Amino acid sequence: MITDKDRLYFQTRAEAELRLAAEAEDPVVCQAHYAMATEYLEAAHGASMRLPPDPQRLARSG
């Protein structure tokens, strides 16, 4: 069973990954950090907390 301490850890890691994604200059690195943030959020809150698509990725493909 996941504890509040676990949730806090995963949430903190997700926030750190999002900061790293925002700072990344390489799109591949950005996407990797974004994917990790999604995994941490899922661990903290379940599949209902998926991040929306990466806005940088959408801008590059559109």
Side-chain angles (χ1 to χ4, degrees), residues 36-52:
M36 287 300 302
T38 298
E39 294 297 322
Y40 280 122
L41 282 177
E42 286 181 359
H45 303 288
S48 63
M49 283 296 296
R50 287 193 72 91
L51 290 170

Side-chain angles (χ1 to χ4, degrees), residues 18-40:
L18 289 174
R19 280 192 301 276
L20 290 168
E23 294 169 1
E25 294 181 20
D26 183 329
V28 174
V29 173
C30 176
Q31 183 58 36
H33 285 299
Y34 199 80
M36 287 300 302
T38 298
E39 294 297 322
Y40 280 122

